[in-house]
Amino acid sequence: MEKMADINLKEVTLIVGVVAVCYWNSLFCGFVFDDVSAILDNKDLHPSTPLKTLFQNDFWGTPMSEERSHKSYRPLTVLTFRLNYLFSELTPMSYHLLNMIFHAVVSVIFLKVCRLFLNNQSSMIASLLFAVHPIHTEAVTGVVGRAELLSSIFFLAAFLSYTKSKGPDNSIAWTPIALTVFLVAVATLCKEQGITVVGICCVYEVFIAQGYTLPLLCTTAAQFLRGKGSIPFSMLQTLIKLIVLMFSTLLLVVIRVQVIQSQLPVFTRFDNPAAVSPTPTRQLTFNYLLPVNAWLLLNPSELCCDWTMGTIPLIESFLDVRNLATFIFFCFLGALGVFSLRYPSNSSKTVLMALCLMALPFIPASNLFFPVGFVVAERVLYVPSMGFCILVAHGWQKISNKSVFKKLSWVCLSLVIFTHALKTLHRNWDWESEYTLFMSALKVNKNNAKLWNNVGHALENEKNFERALKYFLQATHVQPDDIGAHMNVGRTYKNLNRTKEAEESYMTAKSLMPQIIPGKKYAARIAPNHLNVYINLANLIRANESRLEEADQLYRQAISMRPDFKQAYISRGELLLKMNKPVKAKEAYLKALELDRNNADLWYNLAIVHIELKEPNDALKNFNHALELNPKHKLALFNSAILMQESGEVRLRPEARKRLLSYINEEPQDANGYFNLGMLAMDDKKDSEAEMWMKKAIKLQADFRSALFNLALLYSQTAKELMALPVLEELLKYYPDHIKGLILKGDILMNQKKDIYGAKKCFEKILEMDPSNVQGKHNLCVVYFEEKDLLKAERCLVETLALAPHEEYIQRHLSIVRDKISSSSFVEQPIFPAGKTSGVEGDKIPNENVKERKSEPRPTQIIKTNDNKSQSKASKQLGKNIDKEIPHKTTKEIKEIEKKRVAALKRLEEIERILNGE
C-alpha cells in the first residue's frame, strides 16, 4: 500500500466545484416525500421544544417509547435541522445548501481515504466519480438524506483516525483508537449504519496494517490449536486492539437496543412484502435484491424514490430466471473475495477494502438479519458507493497502464463522469416538488401502489381532488388489498362531498383489516396508521346526528384494539362533547394525556372541556399548560385571552392583551384578534385604541357584524354619534335585521338628526321582525309622543306594559301620558325627561366568527365561540322638551315642578340596561 499523501487546495477546489455544478439546482427544490415528516411536521425543530426531547424522540419527532415510532434514532442529524430552522425557519434553500456542503466535505474526505489504497490520479478519479454519481441525488437533494451525509463524515473520520493507531515498532497508539470510538458513536447518532465502520477498521487492521492473508491466518491458527506454536506478539497486539474495538461496538449496540426499548419497528407487508413471505420466497427475494442494488450503482439510468410494495415482484420459485442474476453476482463477489483475501499484493488489499466499504455498511439495510421498512432505498447506497468507486478507479488504473487501452480508457472515463454529472443535474429537478418526484417514479415503475397514492396526495395538497381521486383509485387497482389506498379514496370522496362513496371506501378498508386472533397481540400485526380507518369512518358518519352512537362505537373499537391509540381518545373526546357528555370527554382526554403529556393540543382540548363544565379556572390552567409546551399555540392564545376577558378580572386584562397581540402576530389576517383587542380597550376606557383595533378588524372583514356594531356603539358613547351613522348604515347593509343596530340608529336619528320619521321607520322595522321587542315598542311610543299623538302613545304604552308588566319606567311613562291627556291646563310635563328613548349602550357583542376544526389528519382542536353577552351601561337621552306656552306659576309651584323633574331624571338614570336581543 502507498503511504497516504496530503491533498492540496487545487484538488479540494476541483471537487467542491464539481459538486456545486452538479447540485446547484437542488437549491431550488422544496421539501418533498420524507422531508414533510422529518422537517415540516417535526416539532423537535422548533426552538420552543426542549433540546433533551431530541434525544428522546426518533428521527421523525415521535417518542421512541411509542410503538408507531420507526426507531430511527438520529438526534445529531435532527440537531442540524434545528440549526437550519433557527436561521431560516422552513426556507428549503438553506437546508439544501447545507446538504450540498456536507456532500462536498464527504467527497474531499473520501479523497483522503482513497490515497491509502490508490495513487493520486486514481484517487482523484474515485472521488470525482463519487461526487457526481446519480445514485446520491436522494441523499443530497432529499433533505432527510442528511443522515447519510453526516454519518459518512464521521464514518470516514473514524476510519482515518484508526489508520493512525499503529505506532513505531508496531506499538499501539491509544489516542487514535479512543478518538475512533468517539467518532463511531457520533456517526451512529447521525445514522445507525455509522457503527459498521468498526468492521472496516477490523479488516484494515488484520489484512492491511498487519499484512496478514487468509492462508497465513489459517496456518497460524492450526499450529496454535495443535500446540506446535505460539501466537506472535504482533498478533496479540492486534487481538487487543480488536477486542477494544469489539467491546466498544458491543457497548454501543447495547445502548442502542436500550434506546429502542428492545422493540423493532412495526412495518406492514406493503412496505416490504418479502419480509413476511414464507421460505424460500423470502430468502430468494432478499438475495436477489443484492444484484439489484449493485446494478443501480453500475447503471443508474432508472432511479426511483420508492421501491416498496410491488416494485420488485417476489421470487417464489427456484426456476425464476432472476435467480441467475443472483448466482452471477455471488460468483463475481466470491471471486473478488478470494483474490483479495488470498494474495498479499497491494491490488488485492485495495479490492478487499473496496469490498468491505460496499458490503459492511450495507448490512443494516440488507434485510438479511432483520427486516427494514423498504425493499430498495437509493440513499442507503451512499457509503457502499465509495467501495464501488474505488473498484472502478482501481480497474481503470489497471487498464490505463496498458498503452493499447490508455486513450480509450480516458475517453470512456470522461464519458462516464460527464454523463453521470448530467444525469445528476437532471435528476435533481425531479425533487423540485412532490408531484414531479412521484411522476418521475411512475415512469420507472407503475406497479407500486404507493407511488400512485403519493401523486394523489400531491394533487390533494393542491386541492385538485378530482385528479387526486383518479390516482387513488388506480392505487386500489394496482394493489387491491392496500388499506391505505382505500382510505385515501374515502377521504377524497369526503372532500368532494360524496359521503356515500366515502363511507363505502372506508368500509372496504375496514374489511381488509386483519381479524383479531385470540392470544395474539393485534398491534404487532398491523401498522398503527391503518387503524385510522376507524377514526376516519367515525368522523364521517358523526356528521349525521342520528349516528353519533355508531361513531362512538367505532372509536371504542379502535381503542379496544390498541389501548394506547392516542388519536382514538382525542377524536372520541371531541365526539362526546358534541353528544353533550363533557364528563366522559374529560376522561377520554385525560387518558390521551397519560399517553402523551407533551401534546399542547391535548391540553388545549381539555381546557375546552372545562369550559363546557363551567370550570373557567381549570380551563385557564390547561390553556396555560398548552402555552408552556407551545408558546405560539394560536388557538390557546386566542381562547385563553377571551376567557380572561370574560372573567371580568381587571388584573387579567394585560395578559389577555399580550396574548391577543401574540395571536395577531401569528395570524395577522384574522379579524377576530383585532376585534377582541378592541373589546379589551373598550373595557379599559381606551377609546382611541379601541377605535383603531375595530377599524383594523373591519378592514380585514368588511361584513364583521360585531366589529361594525361595537365601533358605532363606541362613537355613540364618546359623543361622536354622527360618525356612528355611516358605520350603522354599513352594518345594516349586510345585516338588515340587526335589532340593536336599528335601535341605536333610531336613537341617533331622533336625538342628533331630529329625524323623527327615520327613527320611526327603524323602530317599526324592529317590531315587524319581533313584535314582542319591548325596547323597540317603547321607543316607538316616544316617537308617537313626539308626533303629539297622545292617544296613540297611550295605547302603545299599554301594549308595551303588557309585554313587560314589571318595568317601572313604562308604568311611570304611561302615567305621565295619561296625566297629560286628562290635564285641563297645558302645563308641559316631561313625559320622558329630555325626550328619552331606550338607548343602546355598552352593548358588547360576542365574536360571531366561528372557527372550524379539521378532523383529518390533523390533531383534534376544538374551537369555542366567543360568547360574550351584551351589558348596558348608561342610556343616552334622546328627543327634546315640548316647548309650549304655559300659565305663570307661583314660586312654590315652580319649585315643585323642578323637584318632579329632578326626581324623574334620577329615576331615569337607574334604567341603565338594554334588552339582550342578539
Side-chain angles (χ1 to χ4, degrees), residues 1-4 113-119 204 207-209 211 344-353 390 394:
M1 301 304 296
E2 296 187 21
K3 185 178 179 180
M4 181 172 63
V113 170
C114 290
R115 291 284 162 85
L116 292 168
F117 316 111
L118 301 169
N119 60 30
Y204 175 84
F207 296 101
I208 309 301
S345 65
N346 286 342
S347 180
S348 63
K349 292 177 180 179
T350 300
V351 171
L352 176 62
M353 292 309 300
I390 290 175
H394 183 59

Coordinates of all heavy atoms in Angstrom, one line a residue, residues 1-4 113-119 204 207-209 211 344-353 390 394:
M1 N 0.8 -1.2 0.0 CA 0.0 0.0 0.0 C 0.9 1.3 0.0 O 1.9 1.3 0.6 CB -0.9 0.0 1.2 CG -1.8 -1.2 1.3 SD -2.9 -1.4 -0.1 CE -3.8 0.0 0.0
E2 N 0.3 2.3 -0.7 CA 1.1 3.5 -0.7 C 0.8 4.4 0.5 O -0.2 4.3 1.1 CB 0.7 4.3 -2.0 CG 1.0 3.6 -3.3 CD 0.7 4.5 -4.5 OE1 0.7 5.7 -4.3 OE2 0.6 3.9 -5.6
K3 N 1.8 5.1 0.9 CA 1.7 6.0 2.0 C 0.7 7.1 1.6 O 0.7 7.6 0.5 CB 3.0 6.6 2.4 CG 3.0 7.4 3.6 CD 4.4 7.9 4.0 CE 4.3 8.8 5.2 NZ 5.6 9.3 5.6
M4 N -0.2 7.5 2.6 CA -1.2 8.5 2.3 C -0.5 9.8 2.0 O 0.3 10.3 2.8 CB -2.1 8.6 3.5 CG -3.3 9.6 3.3 SD -4.5 9.6 4.6 CE -3.5 10.1 6.0
V113 N -9.2 9.2 2.0 CA -9.2 7.8 2.3 C -8.7 7.0 1.1 O -7.9 6.0 1.2 CB -10.7 7.3 2.6 CG1 -10.8 5.8 2.6 CG2 -11.1 7.9 3.9
C114 N -9.1 7.5 -0.1 CA -8.6 6.8 -1.4 C -7.1 6.8 -1.5 O -6.5 5.8 -2.0 CB -9.2 7.4 -2.6 SG -11.0 7.2 -2.8
R115 N -6.5 7.8 -1.0 CA -5.0 7.9 -1.0 C -4.3 6.8 -0.3 O -3.1 6.5 -0.5 CB -4.5 9.3 -0.5 CG -4.9 10.5 -1.4 CD -4.0 10.5 -2.6 NE -4.6 11.3 -3.7 CZ -4.4 12.6 -3.8 NH1 -3.8 13.3 -2.8 NH2 -5.0 13.3 -4.8
L116 N -5.1 6.1 0.6 CA -4.5 5.0 1.4 C -4.3 3.8 0.5 O -3.5 2.9 0.7 CB -5.4 4.6 2.5 CG -5.5 5.6 3.7 CD1 -6.7 5.2 4.6 CD2 -4.2 5.7 4.5
F117 N -5.1 3.7 -0.6 CA -5.2 2.5 -1.4 C -4.9 2.7 -2.9 O -4.6 1.7 -3.6 CB -6.6 1.8 -1.3 CG -7.1 1.8 0.1 CD1 -8.2 2.5 0.5 CD2 -6.5 1.0 1.1 CE1 -8.6 2.5 1.8 CE2 -6.9 0.9 2.4 CZ -8.0 1.7 2.8
L118 N -5.0 3.9 -3.3 CA -4.8 4.2 -4.8 C -3.8 5.3 -4.9 O -3.5 6.1 -4.0 CB -6.1 4.7 -5.4 CG -7.3 3.7 -5.3 CD1 -8.6 4.5 -5.7 CD2 -7.1 2.5 -6.2
N119 N -3.2 5.4 -6.1 CA -2.3 6.5 -6.4 C -3.1 7.8 -6.5 O -4.3 7.8 -6.6 CB -1.5 6.2 -7.7 CG -2.3 6.1 -8.9 OD1 -3.4 6.7 -9.0 ND2 -1.8 5.3 -9.9
Y204 N -9.2 -3.7 8.2 CA -8.0 -2.9 7.9 C -6.8 -3.3 8.8 O -5.7 -3.5 8.3 CB -8.3 -1.4 8.0 CG -7.1 -0.5 7.9 CD1 -6.7 -0.1 6.6 CD2 -6.3 -0.1 9.0 CE1 -5.5 0.7 6.4 CE2 -5.2 0.7 8.8 CZ -4.8 1.0 7.5 OH -3.7 1.8 7.4
F207 N -5.7 -7.2 7.7 CA -5.2 -7.5 6.4 C -4.4 -6.4 5.7 O -3.6 -6.6 4.8 CB -6.4 -7.8 5.4 CG -7.1 -9.1 5.9 CD1 -8.4 -9.0 6.6 CD2 -6.6 -10.3 5.6 CE1 -9.0 -10.1 6.9 CE2 -7.3 -11.5 5.9 CZ -8.5 -11.4 6.6
I208 N -4.5 -5.2 6.2 CA -3.8 -4.1 5.7 C -2.6 -3.6 6.6 O -1.5 -3.7 6.2 CB -4.7 -2.8 5.4 CG1 -5.9 -3.3 4.6 CG2 -3.9 -1.8 4.6 CD1 -5.7 -3.9 3.3
A209 N -3.0 -3.3 7.8 CA -1.9 -2.8 8.7 C -1.0 -3.9 9.1 O 0.3 -3.6 9.1 CB -2.6 -2.2 10.0
G211 N -0.8 -6.9 7.4 CA -0.4 -7.6 6.2 C -0.7 -9.1 6.2 O -0.1 -9.8 5.4
P344 N -1.2 -11.3 -1.0 CA -0.8 -10.2 -0.2 C -0.4 -8.9 -1.0 O 0.1 -7.9 -0.5 CB 0.5 -10.7 0.4 CG 1.1 -11.7 -0.6 CD -0.1 -12.3 -1.3
S345 N -0.8 -8.9 -2.3 CA -0.4 -7.7 -3.1 C -1.2 -6.5 -2.8 O -2.3 -6.6 -2.2 CB -0.7 -8.0 -4.6 OG -2.0 -8.2 -4.8
N346 N -0.7 -5.3 -3.2 CA -1.4 -4.1 -3.0 C -2.8 -4.1 -3.7 O -3.8 -3.5 -3.2 CB -0.6 -2.9 -3.4 CG 0.5 -2.6 -2.5 OD1 0.5 -3.0 -1.3 ND2 1.5 -1.9 -3.0
S347 N -2.8 -4.7 -4.8 CA -4.1 -4.7 -5.6 C -5.1 -5.5 -4.8 O -6.3 -5.1 -4.8 CB -3.8 -5.4 -7.0 OG -5.0 -5.4 -7.7
S348 N -4.8 -6.6 -4.3 CA -5.7 -7.4 -3.5 C -6.2 -6.7 -2.3 O -7.4 -6.8 -1.9 CB -5.1 -8.8 -3.1 OG -4.0 -8.6 -2.3
K349 N -5.3 -5.9 -1.7 CA -5.7 -5.1 -0.5 C -6.7 -4.0 -0.9 O -7.6 -3.7 -0.1 CB -4.5 -4.5 0.2 CG -3.6 -5.6 0.8 CD -2.3 -5.0 1.4 CE -1.4 -6.0 2.1 NZ -0.2 -5.5 2.7
T350 N -6.4 -3.4 -2.0 CA -7.4 -2.4 -2.5 C -8.7 -2.9 -2.7 O -9.8 -2.4 -2.3 CB -6.8 -1.7 -3.8 OG1 -5.5 -1.1 -3.5 CG2 -7.8 -0.6 -4.3
V351 N -8.8 -4.1 -3.4 CA -10.0 -4.8 -3.7 C -10.7 -5.1 -2.4 O -11.9 -5.0 -2.3 CB -9.8 -6.0 -4.6 CG1 -11.1 -6.8 -4.7 CG2 -9.3 -5.6 -6.0
L352 N -10.0 -5.6 -1.4 CA -10.6 -6.1 -0.2 C -11.2 -4.9 0.5 O -12.4 -5.0 1.0 CB -9.5 -6.7 0.7 CG -10.0 -7.1 2.2 CD1 -11.0 -8.1 2.1 CD2 -8.8 -7.5 3.0
M353 N -10.5 -3.7 0.6 CA -11.1 -2.6 1.3 C -12.3 -2.0 0.5 O -13.3 -1.6 1.1 CB -10.1 -1.5 1.5 CG -9.0 -1.9 2.4 SD -9.6 -2.5 4.1 CE -10.5 -1.1 4.6
I390 N -14.0 3.1 -5.7 CA -12.6 2.6 -5.5 C -12.4 1.4 -6.5 O -11.3 1.4 -7.2 CB -12.3 2.2 -4.1 CG1 -12.3 3.4 -3.2 CG2 -11.0 1.4 -4.0 CD1 -12.1 3.1 -1.7
H394 N -9.7 1.7 -9.5 CA -8.6 0.7 -9.5 C -8.6 -0.1 -10.8 O -7.5 -0.3 -11.4 CB -8.8 -0.3 -8.3 CG -7.7 -1.3 -8.2 ND1 -6.4 -0.9 -8.0 CD2 -7.7 -2.6 -8.2 CE1 -5.6 -2.0 -7.9 NE2 -6.4 -3.0 -8.0

